[in-house]
C-alpha cells in the first residue's frame, strides 16, 4: 500500500493524472459530529476490540446501543448485533409477540428516522446461509462438526446442525437479548424436509452461546438423498423457511 502511494505521488510530479486508491485518504476533514461521537465513546470506555455480534455486557445480555445507533420496537430498545452506514442488525424483542403490528423507530446520535409500521408473526422461519444472502449453501455443520460445503459434503443418513431464526419461543421462555447458556427446546412443533423428503429432528431450540432468537436445529438427513445440493426447509407455526438454502450431499 505504501509503495503504491509513493508511486502515485511520483507519477503526479511527472505531470500525469493519477487516481490513487492505495491509501483511501479522504480530501476533507473528519466531520465534527463523528469526532464528538468517537471522543464520547472513548470516555465511556469503548477502547477495546468488540465481538462481531455486538457488545455483550457482564451479565450476558447483548447491548442495545452501538456506534450511536438505537432501534426501538413500540418504544422498547432492541439488542443490536451490528450497525453501519448501510445496515443495522437488530433482535426483535420477545415482548412484541402476540401483537398484530409493531412500530419500528431507528435513531442515530439522537436523530430519529421516520417510523415504520411492521406486521408481527409468532413465527417467521429463516435459515442462515454461509454467505449471509439467504440462498445457496446453508451455514450447516456436518456430523463431525465441520462446515458443510460442496467440497465437504454430508453423507446421506448422517446428522447435520442448522442455524436459523424466527422459529418461535422456547420452553422455558427465552428473554430478550440474553445469551443462551444451554439448550431450551421450542415451545411449538417444528418439521423439516430435505429435497422434499421428511427429516427426523433430534433437537430444535435455543443455540447455546448465541443470543436469544438465534436457533439451532439438529436433524438426520434422509438416507435416500442423492449426491449434490438438496433444499432444506423447516416449518414452524404454519410458516416455512425460504426454499433457497441447500445442504451439500456426498
Amino acid at each position: 500500500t505504501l509503495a503504491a502511494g509513493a508511486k502515485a505521488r511520483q507519477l503526479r510530479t511527472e505531470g500525469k493524472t493519477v487516481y490513487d486508491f492505495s491509501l483511501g485518504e479522504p480530501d476533507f476533514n473528519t466531520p465534527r459530529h463523528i469526532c464528538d461521537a468517537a471522543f464520547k465513546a472513548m470516555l465511556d470506555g469503548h477502547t477495546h476490540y468488540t465481538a462481531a455480534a455486538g457488545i455483550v455486557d457482564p451479565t450476558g445480555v447483548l447491548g442495545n446501543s452501538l456506534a450511536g445507533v438505537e432501534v426501538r420496537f413500540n418504544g422498547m430498545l432492541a439488542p443490536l448485533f451490528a450497525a453501519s452506514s448501510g445496515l443495522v442488525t437488530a433482535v426483535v424483542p420477545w415482548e412484541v409477540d402476540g401483537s398484530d403490528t409493531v412500530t419500528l423507530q431507528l435513531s442515530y446520535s439522537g436523530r430519529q428516522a421516520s417510523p415504520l409500521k411492521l406486521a408481527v408473526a409468532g413465527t417467521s422461519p429463516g435459515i442462515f446461509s454461509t454467505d449471509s444472502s439467504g440462498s445457496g449453501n446453508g451455514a450447516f455443520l456436518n456430523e463431525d462438526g465441520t462446515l458443510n460445503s460442496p467440497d465437504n459434503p454430508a453423507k446421506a443418513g448422517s446428522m447435520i446442525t442448522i442455524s436459523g431464526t424466527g422459529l418461535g419461543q422456547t420452553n422455558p421462555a427465552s428473554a430478550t437479548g440474553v445469551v443462551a447458556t444451554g439448550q431450551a427446546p421450542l415451545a411449538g412443533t417444528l418439521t423439516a424436509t430435505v429435497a422434499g423428503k421428511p427429516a427426523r429432528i433430534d433437537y430444535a431450540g435455543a443455540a447455546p452461546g448465541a443470543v436469544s432468537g438465534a436457533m439451532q436445529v439438529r436433524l438426520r438427513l434422509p438416507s435416500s438423498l442423492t449426491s449434490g445440493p438438496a433444499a432444506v426447509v423447516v416449518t414452524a407455526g404454519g410458516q416455512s423457511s425460504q426454499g433457497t438454502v441447500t445442504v451439500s450431499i456426498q
Side-chain angles (χ1 to χ4, degrees):
T1 299
L2 293 176
K7 183 64 175 179
R9 289 191 295 272
Q10 176 190 336
L11 292 173
R12 285 200 186 98
T13 62
E14 296 173 1
K16 297 178 181 178
T17 300
V18 178
Y19 297 96
D20 182 8
F21 295 101
S22 61
L23 297 177
E25 180 70 22
D27 59 359
F28 57 88
N29 294 330
T30 303
R32 176 59 185 267
H33 70 278
I34 295 178
C35 295
D36 291 343
F39 183 61
K40 182 179 184 300
M42 288 188 288
L43 291 178
D44 291 342
H46 301 302
T47 56
H48 304 278
Y49 287 111
T50 64
I55 301 174
V56 177
D57 69 21
T59 66
V61 178
L62 185 65
N64 49 34
S65 181
L66 193 61
V69 174
E70 293 182 343
V71 177
R72 287 176 168 82
F73 291 85
N74 284 350
M76 180 177 297
L77 283 168
L80 299 179
F81 276 106
S84 67
S85 60
L87 178 69
V88 176
T89 306
V91 179
V92 181
W94 288 109
E95 287 78 2
V96 307
D97 190 22
S99 304
D100 293 326
T101 61
V102 65
T103 299
L104 167 67
Q105 179 81 61
L106 183 145
S107 65
Y108 171 65
S109 295
R111 297 190 294 274
Q112 294 186 339
S114 299
L116 295 174
K117 181 167 283 189
L118 305 174
V120 176
T123 60
S124 183
I127 297 177
F128 300 149
S129 63
T130 53
D131 64 0
S132 302
S133 70
S135 298
N137 213 101
F140 304 152
L141 296 180
N142 293 333
E143 191 167 311
D144 62 1
T146 59
L147 184 66
N148 180 267
S149 71
D151 295 328
N152 188 36
K155 293 181 180 179
S158 66
M159 298 290 293
I160 63 169
T161 301
I162 297 171
S163 296
T165 189
L167 305 184
Q169 185 57 280
T170 60
N171 183 22
S174 298
T176 298
V178 175
V179 175
T181 57
Q183 294 185 350
L186 293 178
T189 301
L190 185 81
T191 59
T193 61
V194 182
K197 302 174 182 181
R200 193 190 81 198
I201 295 176
D202 179 62
Y203 169 78
V211 173
S212 169
M215 298 292 181
Q216 185 181 86
V217 179
R218 288 199 305 271
L219 59 80
R220 185 167 296 280
L221 295 169
S223 58
S224 58
L225 294 175
T226 57
S227 179
V232 178
V233 176
V234 297
T235 301
Q239 303 294 319
S240 296
S241 62
Q242 73 274 37
T244 54
V245 178
T246 59
V247 59
S248 295
I249 305 297
Q250 193 174 80

